[in-house]
């Protein structure tokens, strides 16, 4: 890999942090607006920043709401919807000095739209006033005495803007205070009331709108309603409220979501405007909510950071389980991705990412693969299918009625009955005691069936035989094809026969004798006339060629030798995006495609790809009004075209022998698929996207590892048990089958023992493969674990057997296989263990050598004798293992103070790191340095602000690496983040990098960020110490938006680059094949 890297998102952020409801796009439309930590679905706009505040408000005299957004880098903007979604105001609210608040930024808007308040730094409250026309004026700061602020809100119904502050004093007691904001004096005035000594867990304020006014203070054990005139409290069962949503405009009912995913309804009881009490009722369980928006008519949106977001409906009556909540829709969220591994479960050279996603009870494994899913609608067991065709009951019927299934010595006909079930039926005119070679709908409400002895023409309405063409005696038909008006067939001895279909007539028009036998045929009409083809494609035995003949004359126009000794098994004339192609599939899983000139029959622009290893059969099908081609084989693939370029996407099915479209009334737009003894009818996913399968665990998986030999995954997980008195966690090592994902074995860890790292490896002089697990004893009284264990398991009969264990003096944060030994990172030390055979034949880990000098060695990667360590706060260091001395020494380090979150080795000299300010950087080993000091320094060569917290890098690819593509040779690393992003970092050749850097610079000028937030600033590396422009990293998401620009903008960029639009499209398109 290289210094020049291209960063692109394969799966966008799905972790929902903020949501709000209002009339944003129009006075009559109710919109739900959601923020997914970085770059909404009526409108999806990337915001160049991590969103800290998202609020709708409506200034005086306005008919619809405005949207206020503040980002974590202290930028803000106010957006107003018009068809071009323009911004009203924007600015920077950062201060030169100031300690950022521990509890996150707070952004609030006065209900009477007099000002916006921001709490960004301890001890300061920033005010942005509105003038009487609703425009923003100059901001100013007011000193706030309370340093430990937990929450701030504006109160309703106050003559002057009034805030209520929930804070903690230096004795850890919690209180509430109110202040009036005096805009003229730019200062606070003591407010109407205060309330001291609240519930120790109080951390959320809910201001109640008029007529009641006042505020709700939500604690862990009590809920309090407080105003100048009233104080009411109720006890609740201990819970931490994470999110709330107001139900009624008058604020008498609120939905509360807690840390266990329970949804409660809080009711303020009142007589006229006097509050008489509070009531709380459990409604049911949802995902753990980070935001709740009540939409309308009992529909509620639950946004989650720990599980899938949901659309729910609240019913008046409970269901059998006592729940009032019905989940209507789930919106997949992969976040937080704590760990993942890249595996090839189908052993097909296609990477899949298996993630540890979600948290607490919403924990799950997600299998993410690039490819197309088939959603099964119906299935029936049928062995030995040799071919399938769908037929209509009349020429103008929009739907298919019959499904003809051919076997070695019979043909069966299936049709949908009134109950929408497939059942057997008869077409009397068909010959059902023999194998069918081909079937098709024909003009004049007819059907055509070709068998080895004849061509039969049958009425589709009466189902009776109307005409028959019989093969000459001594000859049998080997291959055949047909369309609505033509039949082309081949008998043994290289005879090619062409027939035309009339109303009840079959006419033999032409016969040609070829020098070799014919292996496959096609006359799919792709010219002007949808029922008649002027060209025939013929694949040959012996000389391994494909030929184009003219119809009706059967004159040879083109002959193309395919080379090699594998015969063509299937040919297809087809048209993608108006461009005619000839596809030719060989018996070894290769596919050739040619551009076809319709008038001359000439074949050009030959390309070859490998789809599988078995013979391929090609069929066309339609999905969403576009024609695609299905290649059935041991690796079924859909071939489609995008921007006039053929793309291949694998289908998430094992071997498929035959496929035909079956668009029946009951199963519109479906496919019939024959595979391994089954006939399945299913619909197809959107063409080309990531396919995600969820395995809910009900517990939180934190580490995952795959073992090829035992076909298993092992995970370290923890379950949160809530007993009546206490909450406690139990930790496990669990073994899962890598096909079914069922738990097949469990090893419980000790009390307080956490699984920290897991690895599948083998040792020198031992042929077995083991799972090694590193643990830590996390004791409440210790700041840092002082003991842990390394456990070595073997999988026997699907069970985890403990073979050896080794106590350690700290947490085992990382484990690596290292030259047949085991390398562990234990607290601040790197330790190497060798695998020893004791006299009694048992095995043990023996300490060999180590290296001190880290603060906490959290992330370790190895390559050869080199060890790269990512430290808690001391960035990246490079160690080397010296075989002669058996010692580990430091070779070089990066002297910047980066708090690391992940590291990976790109190549011998370049190492990649991610740190906790959402940046990526690369460092280079300087082995050519002149002095020891230079050689001892890792030089920072690349810097980039990703805006995502990366938990793990892994080498690998999500896509099939097609050897003939330019991107097939580009090495990639995959990363997973807290927000559920799966991203790809690709190392580019220098010339390609330079070209794309120029393209990115031109795109920046043309594509402006929403709210005036700058792309360049957003991507600049930024931490507490410094902000520097991104270097040696490109933003692939920005570059790939080139393909979505309109033609005039593309032309502008093409002029600036001095490269044609076609060439730009082609080059950017290739990059999209990386993910």
């Amino acid at each position: 890999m290289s210094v020049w890297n291209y960063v692109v998102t394969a799966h966008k952020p799905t972790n929902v942090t903020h949501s709000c409801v209002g009339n944003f796009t129009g006075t009559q439309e109710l919109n739900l607006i959601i923020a997914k930590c970085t770059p909404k679905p009526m409108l999806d706009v990337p915001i160049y920043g991590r969103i800290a505040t998202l609020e709708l408000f409506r200034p005086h005299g306005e008919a619809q709401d405005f949207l206020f957004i503040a980002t974590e880098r202290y930028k803000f903007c106010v957006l107003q919807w018009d068809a071009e979604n323009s911004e009203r105001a924007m600015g920077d609210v950062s201060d030169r000095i100031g300690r950022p608040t521990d509890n996150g930024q707070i952004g609030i808007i006065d209900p009477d739209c007099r000002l916006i308040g921001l709490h960004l730094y301890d001890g300061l409250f920033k005010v942005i006033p509105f003038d009487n026309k609703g425009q923003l004026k100059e901001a100013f700061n007011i000193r706030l005495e309370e340093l430990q602020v937990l929450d701030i809100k504006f109160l309703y119904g106050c003559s002057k803007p009034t805030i209520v502050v929930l804070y903690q004093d230096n004795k850890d007691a919690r209180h509430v205070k109110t202040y009036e904001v005096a805009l003229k004096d730019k200062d606070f005035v003591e407010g109407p009331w205060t309330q001291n000594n609240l519930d120790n867990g109080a951390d959320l304020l809910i201001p109640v709108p008029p007529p009641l006014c006042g505020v709700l203070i939500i604690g862990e054990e009590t809920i309090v309603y407080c105003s100048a005139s009233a104080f009411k409290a109720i006890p609740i069962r201990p819970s931490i409220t994470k999110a709330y949503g107001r139900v009624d405009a008058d604020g008498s009912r609120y939905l509360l979501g807690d840390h266990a995913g329970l949804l409660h309804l809080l009711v303020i009881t009142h007589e006229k405007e006097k509050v008489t009490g509070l009531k709380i009722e459990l409604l049911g369980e949802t995902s753990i909510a980070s935001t709740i928006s009540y939409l309308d008519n009992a529909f509620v949106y639950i946004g989650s950071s720990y599980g899938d977001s949901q659309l729910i409906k609240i019913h008046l009556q409970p269901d059998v389980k006592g729940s009032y909540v019905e989940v209507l829709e789930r919106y997949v969220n992969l976040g937080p991705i704590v760990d993942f591994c890249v595996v090839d479960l189908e052993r097909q050279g296609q990477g899949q990412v298996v993630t540890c996603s979600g948290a607490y009870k919403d924990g799950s494994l997600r299998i993410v693969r690039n490819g197309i899913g088939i959603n099964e609608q119906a299935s029936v067991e049928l062995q030995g299918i040799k071919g399938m065709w769908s037929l209509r009951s009349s020429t103008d019927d929009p739907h298919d009625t019959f499904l003809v299934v051919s076997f070695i010595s019979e043909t069966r006909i299936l049709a949908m009955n009134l109950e929408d079930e497939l059942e057997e039926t008869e077409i009397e005119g068909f010959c059902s005691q023999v194998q069918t070679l081909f079937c098709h709908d024909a003009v004049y409400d007819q059907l055509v069936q070709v068998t080895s002895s004849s061509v039969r023409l049958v009425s589709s309405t009466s189902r009776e035989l109307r005409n028959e063409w019989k093969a000459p005696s001594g000859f049998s038909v080997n291959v055949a094809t047909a369309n609505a008006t033509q039949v082309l067939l081949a008998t043994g001895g290289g005879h090619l026969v062409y027939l035309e279909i009339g109303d009840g007539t079959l006419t033999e028009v032409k016969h040609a004798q070829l020098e070799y036998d014919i292996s496959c045929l096609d006359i799919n009409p792709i010219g002007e006339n949808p029922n008649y083809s002027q060209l025939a494609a013929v694949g040959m035995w012996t000389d391994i060629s494909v030929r184009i003949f003219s119809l009706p004359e059967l004159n040879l126009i083109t002959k193309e030798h395919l080379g090699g000794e594998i015969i063509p098994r299937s040919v297809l004339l087809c048209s993608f995006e108006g461009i005619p192609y000839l596809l030719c599939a060989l018996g070894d899983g290769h596919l050739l495609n040619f551009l076809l000139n319709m008038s001359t029959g000439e074949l050009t622009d030959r390309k070859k790809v490998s789809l599988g290893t078995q013979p391929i059969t090609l069929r066309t099908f339609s999905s969403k009004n576009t024609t695609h081609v299905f290649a059935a084989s041991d690796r079924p693939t859909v071939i489609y075209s995008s921007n006039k370029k053929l793309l291949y996407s694998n289908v998430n099915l094992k071997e498929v022998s035959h496929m035909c479209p079956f668009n029946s009334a009951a199963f519109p737009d479906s496919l019939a698929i024959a595979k391994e003894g089954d006939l399945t009818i299913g619909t197809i996913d959107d063409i080309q996207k990531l396919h995600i399968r969820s395995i809910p665990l009900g517990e939180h998986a934190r580490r995952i590892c795959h073992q090829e030999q035992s076909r298993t995954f092992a995970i370290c997980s923890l379950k949160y048990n809530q007993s009546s008195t206490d909450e406690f966690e139990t930790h496990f090592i669990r073994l899962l089958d890598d096909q079914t994902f069922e738990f097949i074995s469990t090893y419980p860890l000790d009390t307080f023992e956490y699984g920290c790292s897991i690895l599948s490896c083998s040792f020198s002089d031992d042929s077995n493969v083991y799972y090694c697990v590193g643990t830590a004893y996390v004791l409440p009284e210790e700041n840092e674990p002082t003991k842990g264990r390394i456990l070595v398991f073997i999988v026997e009969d699907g069970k985890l057997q403990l073979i050896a264990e080794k106590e350690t003096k700290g947490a085992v944060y990382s484990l690596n296989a290292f030259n047949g030994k085991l390398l562990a990172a234990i607290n601040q030390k790197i330790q190497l263990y060798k695998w020893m055979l004791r006299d009694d034949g048992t095995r043990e880990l023996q300490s060999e050598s180590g290296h001190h000098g880290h603060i906490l060695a959290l992330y370790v990667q190895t390559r050869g004798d080199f060890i790269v360590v990512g430290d808690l706060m001391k960035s990246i260091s490079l160690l080397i293992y010296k075989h002669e001395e058996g010692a580990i020494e430091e070779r070089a380090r990066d002297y910047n103070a980066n708090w690391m979150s992940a590291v990976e080795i790109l190549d011998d000299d370049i190492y990649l790191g991610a740190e906790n300010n959402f940046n990526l950087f690369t460092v280079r080993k300087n082995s050519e340095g002149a002095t020891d000091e230079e050689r001892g320094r890792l030089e920072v060569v690349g810097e980039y602000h990703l805006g995502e917290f990366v938990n793990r890098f892994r080498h690998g690819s999500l896509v099939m690496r097609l050897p003939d593509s330019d991107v097939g040779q580009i090495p990639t690393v995959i990363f997973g983040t807290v927000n559920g992003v799966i991203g790809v970092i690709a190392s580019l050749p220098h010339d390609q990098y330079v070209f794309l850097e120029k393209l990115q610079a031109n795109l920046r000028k043309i594509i402006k960020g929403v709210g005036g937030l700058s792309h360049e600033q957003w991507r600049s590396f930024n931490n507490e110490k410094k902000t520097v422009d991104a270097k040696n990293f490109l933003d692939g998401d920005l570059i790939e938006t080139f393909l979505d620009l309109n033609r005039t903008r593309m032309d502008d960029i093409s002029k600036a680059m001095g490269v044609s639009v076609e060439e730009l499209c082609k080059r950017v398109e290739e990059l999209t094949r990386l993910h």
Side-chain angles (χ1 to χ4, degrees):
M1 297 189 74
S2 75
V3 180
W4 304 291
N5 288 299
Y6 177 87
V7 184
V8 65
T9 307
H11 179 266
K12 289 210 169 23
T14 44
N15 167 347
V16 174
T17 52
H18 301 75
S19 67
C20 51
V21 172
N23 310 96
F24 183 58
T25 57
T27 48
Q28 301 305 313
E29 297 170 9
L30 191 66
N31 308 115
L32 169 68
I33 297 176
I34 58 179
K36 301 179 171 180
C37 255
T38 39
K40 303 174 204 165
M42 165 164 173
L43 160 79
D44 190 347
V45 291
I47 300 283
Y48 292 140
R50 291 172 61 91
I51 295 171
T53 304
L54 180 87
E55 291 286 348
L56 285 170
F57 66 99
R58 185 177 305 190
H60 296 294
E62 291 287 345
Q64 58 200 64
D65 297 338
F66 289 13
L67 183 64
F68 173 74
I69 293 176
T71 76
E72 289 185 12
R73 279 177 153 193
Y74 310 120
K75 303 268 189 275
F76 77 91
C77 60
V78 174
L79 303 180
Q80 171 188 12
W81 172 268
D82 60 29
E84 300 289 308
N85 56 334
S86 63
E87 55 270 3
R88 275 287 285 263
M90 62 212 195
D92 186 322
V93 283
S94 61
D95 289 316
R96 270 292 143 73
I97 48 170
R99 181 175 175 274
T101 58
D102 284 341
N103 294 314
Q105 298 178 25
I106 299 174
I108 49 176
I109 301 175
D110 168 45
D112 295 321
C113 285
R114 293 168 287 198
L115 60 122
I116 292 174
L118 295 162
H119 183 245
L120 309 174
Y121 301 100
D122 288 345
L124 290 176
F125 184 73
K126 182 176 290 275
V127 174
I128 313 175
F130 286 99
D131 64 16
N132 47 17
K133 295 199 185 69
Q135 296 294 331
L136 294 175
K137 299 197 298 200
E138 176 134 9
F140 58 86
N141 283 326
I142 303 180
R143 281 242 9 234
L144 187 64
E145 286 169 21
E146 291 70 38
L147 290 178
Q148 282 200 30
V149 171
L150 300 164
D151 200 5
I152 302 183
K153 293 288 196 309
F154 276 108
L155 286 176
Y156 286 89
C158 300
S159 54
K160 294 205 171 69
T162 305
I163 61 168
V164 51
V165 182
L166 170 66
Y167 65 98
Q168 184 166 316
D169 64 18
N170 48 17
K171 298 192 179 66
D172 289 352
R174 298 188 178 190
H175 320 286
V176 161
K177 232 180 183 172
T178 56
Y179 289 113
E180 284 180 3
V181 181
L183 289 169
K184 282 204 173 64
D185 307 339
K186 304 196 173 176
D187 207 351
F188 286 140
V189 179
E190 283 288 315
W193 54 270
T194 57
Q195 183 67 46
N196 288 341
N197 299 321
L198 294 154
D199 178 344
N200 276 347
D203 64 351
L204 179 65
L205 297 174
I206 304 178
V208 181
L212 302 175
C213 301
V215 67
L216 289 163
I217 306 159
I218 312 291
E220 287 179 14
E221 293 172 358
T222 50
I223 293 179
V224 172
Y225 170 82
C226 220
S227 69
S229 58
F231 178 90
K232 296 279 182 250
I234 53 161
I236 54 171
R237 50 174 290 250
S239 72
I240 301 166
T241 301
K242 293 277 197 191
Y244 74 91
R246 187 169 83 200
V247 178
D248 309 294
D250 71 354
S252 55
R253 293 184 300 173
Y254 288 88
L255 293 168
L256 304 180
D258 74 6
H259 66 300
L262 298 177
L263 188 67
H264 287 86
L265 182 67
L266 174 65
V267 181
I268 305 177
T269 53
H270 57 98
E271 290 163 11
K272 298 231 166 65
E273 284 161 32
K274 183 170 178 283
V275 172
T276 55
L278 299 170
K279 285 199 311 219
I280 190 158
E281 183 172 6
L282 175 63
L283 297 178
E285 191 184 322
T286 66
S287 293
I288 300 170
S290 53
T291 167
I292 299 175
S293 288
Y294 182 85
L295 304 175
D296 208 355
N297 297 336
F299 289 102
V300 180
Y301 176 76
I302 306 280
S304 178
S305 308
Y306 294 134
D308 291 346
S309 295
Q310 297 168 324
L311 178 66
I312 63 169
K313 186 168 169 81
I314 296 174
H315 293 286
L316 294 169
Q317 262 27 71
D319 62 14
V320 285
K321 293 189 183 140
S323 166
Y324 295 86
V325 171
E326 179 193 2
V327 177
L328 301 176
E329 273 195 65
R330 302 183 79 93
Y331 306 98
V332 169
N333 169 25
L334 295 188
I337 299 173
V338 195
D339 192 10
F340 70 92
C341 56
V342 187
V343 290
D344 177 8
L345 294 181
E346 322 282 306
R347 302 188 173 188
Q348 295 183 332
Q350 154 108 24
Q352 302 177 36
V353 166
V354 181
T355 67
C356 293
S357 288
Y360 308 104
K361 74 170 185 73
D362 290 340
S364 63
L365 297 183
R366 305 286 170 126
I367 302 122
V368 183
R369 61 182 276 183
N370 183 308
I372 296 175
I374 300 281
N375 308 308
E376 205 170 288
Q377 311 279 1
S379 180
V380 38
E381 263 191 56
L382 280 177
Q383 299 284 346
I385 294 176
K386 293 289 175 214
M388 290 194 301
W389 301 269
S390 53
L391 300 173
R392 290 190 290 249
S393 52
S394 72
T395 306
D396 47 9
D397 189 340
H399 291 116
D400 297 324
T401 307
F402 305 108
L403 186 61
V404 178
V405 186
S406 168
F407 301 89
I408 200 120
S409 58
E410 62 165 339
T411 295
R412 293 189 188 175
I413 292 140
L414 306 175
M416 301 308 278
N417 64 15
L418 297 171
E419 280 75 60
D420 290 341
E421 291 163 344
L422 270 184
E423 62 176 25
E424 257 191 80
T425 180
E426 291 287 315
I427 297 180
E428 290 76 9
F430 273 22
C431 182
S432 57
Q433 291 81 41
V434 295
Q435 177 178 351
T436 298
L437 297 177
F438 201 84
C439 269
H440 206 281
D441 296 302
V443 285
Y444 306 115
D445 291 345
Q446 299 176 118
L447 308 172
V448 61
Q449 179 197 25
V450 186
T451 66
S452 60
S453 58
S454 75
V455 178
R456 301 170 74 92
L457 190 61
V458 174
S459 159
S460 63
T461 44
S462 72
R463 305 192 189 183
E464 286 157 3
L465 182 67
R466 296 190 64 187
N467 206 320
E468 185 172 21
W469 174 91
K470 290 196 166 68
S473 63
F475 287 99
S476 65
V477 179
N478 293 339
V479 283
T481 184
N483 58 39
T485 61
Q486 301 164 288
V487 181
L488 186 65
L489 54 87
T491 67
H495 293 280
L496 191 59
V497 181
Y498 168 65
L499 314 172
E500 288 192 353
I501 302 171
D503 193 348
T505 64
L506 273 173
T507 318
E508 183 176 328
V509 177
K510 192 79 184 160
H511 160 243
Q513 163 79 54
L514 308 186
E515 64 272 42
Y516 307 117
D517 267 329
I518 292 158
S519 64
C520 50
L521 301 166
D522 187 58
I523 52 170
N524 182 35
I526 53 171
E528 301 294 304
N529 183 340
N531 289 333
Y532 187 92
S533 176
Q534 301 197 308
L535 297 176
V538 178
M540 305 295 293
W541 286 85
T542 317
D543 74 341
I544 318 285
S545 67
V546 60
R547 306 178 182 195
I548 302 288
F549 289 86
S550 67
L551 295 178
E553 306 85 16
L554 284 188
N555 291 335
L556 177 64
I557 312 179
T558 309
K559 180 168 167 183
E560 175 86 23
H561 285 281
L562 303 177
E565 11 216 87
I566 312 291
I567 62 154
R569 283 295 188 89
S570 181
V571 284
L572 182 65
L573 298 162
C574 58
S575 157
F576 292 109
E577 296 188 283
I579 301 170
Y581 291 87
L582 172 70
L583 302 183
C584 174
L586 306 182
D588 62 355
H590 276 88
L591 176 77
L592 293 142
N593 67 65
F594 303 91
L595 285 178
L596 169 68
N597 182 319
M598 293 293 291
S599 47
T600 66
E602 194 183 3
L603 297 173
T604 53
D605 212 11
R606 162 177 174 155
K607 293 200 175 79
K608 183 175 183 178
V609 292
S610 162
L611 296 186
T613 56
Q614 299 297 315
I616 297 173
T617 0
L618 300 168
R619 290 294 275 277
T620 57
F621 71 96
S622 293
S623 164
K624 302 205 162 74
N625 300 329
T626 318
T627 298
H628 308 296
V629 171
F630 192 103
S633 76
D634 60 329
R635 291 202 58 170
T637 304
V638 168
I639 304 159
Y640 62 106
S641 172
S642 168
N643 290 342
K644 313 258 170 155
K645 179 163 178 263
L646 290 194
L647 299 178
Y648 306 88
S649 189
N650 56 305
V651 178
N652 297 347
L653 291 173
K654 298 228 172 65
E655 268 183 68
V656 171
S657 50
H658 294 278
M659 185 288 316
C660 81
F662 185 53
N663 177 22
S664 65
F667 300 126
D669 257 351
S670 298
L671 308 178
I673 290 167
K675 59 178 203 296
E676 293 175 350
D678 278 341
L679 167 60
T680 305
I681 292 180
T683 56
I684 196 155
D685 276 356
D686 292 353
I687 304 294
Q688 181 65 31
K689 67 167 175 26
L690 288 181
H691 189 71
I692 298 170
R693 177 176 157 211
S694 300
I695 313 287
L697 298 175
E699 59 187 51
H700 186 172
R702 296 190 54 242
R703 296 288 179 271
I704 185 165
C705 174
H706 183 242
Q707 192 171 83
E708 178 68 28
Q709 291 74 7
S710 61
R711 304 303 302 259
T712 57
F713 286 101
I715 61 172
C716 303
S717 69
L718 69 157
K719 205 172 182 67
Y720 293 85
N721 303 320
Q722 272 178 307
S723 62
S724 49
T725 50
D726 199 23
E727 282 194 19
F728 59 98
E729 310 169 346
T730 37
H731 291 250
F732 305 98
I733 310 301
R734 296 199 187 267
L735 190 68
L736 292 85
D737 179 290
D738 77 0
Q739 298 298 310
T740 63
F741 286 88
E742 281 159 6
F743 289 164
I744 50 181
S745 175
T746 294
Y747 180 88
L749 294 175
D750 295 345
T751 320
F752 297 123
E753 188 180 20
Y754 280 50
C756 300
S757 50
I758 190 160
L759 168 74
S760 166
C761 70
S762 53
F763 298 104
S764 355
D765 310 323
D766 181 350
S767 58
N768 294 320
V769 181
Y770 298 98
Y771 274 122
C772 302
V773 176
T775 73
Y777 287 89
V778 181
L779 303 172
E781 65 274 10
E782 289 183 351
N783 289 338
E784 204 44 62
T786 54
K787 65 176 243 196
R789 290 193 292 173
I790 297 175
L791 307 170
V792 182
F793 296 95
I794 195 165
V795 178
E796 272 177 359
D797 308 325
K799 295 276 179 289
L800 282 171
Q801 308 285 351
L802 185 65
I803 298 291
E805 66 173 291
K806 182 84 179 167
E807 283 210 5
T808 60
K809 292 195 174 80
V812 185
Y813 288 116
S814 175
L815 289 172
N816 290 76
F818 189 72
N819 299 322
K821 301 172 186 166
L822 183 66
L823 185 75
I826 303 164
N827 283 17
Q828 55 272 40
K829 164 170 197 196
I830 302 290
Q831 185 76 41
L832 186 61
Y833 295 95
K834 53 187 179 198
W835 189 234
M836 300 300 286
L837 189 60
R838 291 204 197 94
D839 297 341
D840 62 1
T842 59
R843 303 251 180 193
E844 63 169 339
L845 288 170
Q846 247 183 32
S847 171
E848 182 183 295
S849 59
H851 179 267
H852 290 267
H854 307 278
I855 291 174
L856 280 184
L858 296 180
Y859 313 99
V860 177
Q861 297 290 345
T862 62
R863 182 169 177 143
D865 294 332
F866 286 109
I867 301 167
V868 171
V869 180
D871 189 86
L872 171 72
M873 49 209 283
K874 287 190 352 186
S875 196
I876 294 178
S877 50
L878 174 68
L879 314 177
I880 186 166
Y881 175 69
K882 297 276 180 70
H883 287 266
E884 303 76 60
E885 299 96 87
I888 296 173
E889 292 174 9
E890 182 175 298
R891 167 63 66 85
R893 50 189 285 222
D894 171 23
Y895 287 89
N896 290 307
N898 288 321
W899 292 62
M900 303 304 294
S901 68
V903 296
E904 187 53 272
I905 298 178
L906 294 184
D907 64 22
D908 287 346
D909 298 335
I910 294 167
Y911 318 123
L912 168 69
E915 51 84 82
N916 72 344
N917 285 297
F918 319 118
N919 300 301
L920 299 178
F921 64 99
T922 46
V923 293
R924 178 162 56 200
K925 175 172 93 194
N926 187 359
S927 33
E928 314 298 298
T931 64
D932 281 352
E933 198 235 355
E934 279 178 32
R935 284 192 292 274
R937 187 180 290 279
L938 291 175
E939 171 199 5
V940 176
V941 286
E943 295 178 299
Y944 183 74
H945 185 75
L946 181 66
E948 288 285 337
F949 190 99
V950 175
N951 275 322
R952 174 76 75 195
F953 294 115
R954 299 267 191 212
H955 284 276
S957 163
L958 269 172
V959 290
M960 278 175 64
R961 286 315 183 77
L962 298 173
D964 70 328
S965 72
D966 301 357
V967 294
Q969 313 309 318
I970 292 180
T972 54
V973 164
I974 301 174
F975 61 84
T977 80
V978 168
N979 288 321
V981 169
I982 294 176
V984 176
I985 299 174
S987 285
L988 303 176
H990 186 241
D991 53 338
Q992 195 176 358
Y993 180 88
V994 172
F995 174 82
L996 292 169
E997 190 173 37
K998 191 173 165 191
L999 176 57
Q1000 174 175 283
N1002 282 299
L1003 281 164
R1004 268 181 182 161
K1005 293 179 196 146
I1006 283 191
I1007 300 175
K1008 286 282 176 266
V1010 173
L1013 299 167
S1014 143
H1015 179 267
E1016 209 153 343
Q1017 280 180 332
W1018 161 235
R1019 288 306 182 195
S1020 59
F1021 181 99
N1022 159 276
N1023 61 20
E1024 291 89 3
K1025 303 254 187 336
K1026 64 171 187 181
T1027 298
V1028 293
D1029 282 347
K1031 68 169 184 211
N1032 287 335
F1033 279 101
L1034 294 176
D1035 183 350
D1037 294 341
L1038 177 70
I1039 289 171
E1040 290 174 17
T1041 55
F1042 175 77
L1043 298 172
D1044 308 330
L1045 294 178
N1046 59 32
R1047 187 63 199 217
T1048 48
R1049 285 182 150 189
M1050 279 188 175
D1051 287 336
D1052 294 347
I1053 287 179
S1054 157
K1055 280 197 194 74
M1057 295 279 297
V1059 177
S1060 75
V1061 170
E1062 280 67 32
E1063 177 67 12
L1064 284 172
C1065 283
K1066 175 171 166 279
R1067 293 190 68 164
V1068 176
E1069 186 70 49
E1070 300 250 90
L1071 293 167
T1072 61
R1073 301 271 309 260
L1074 287 168
H1075 57 89

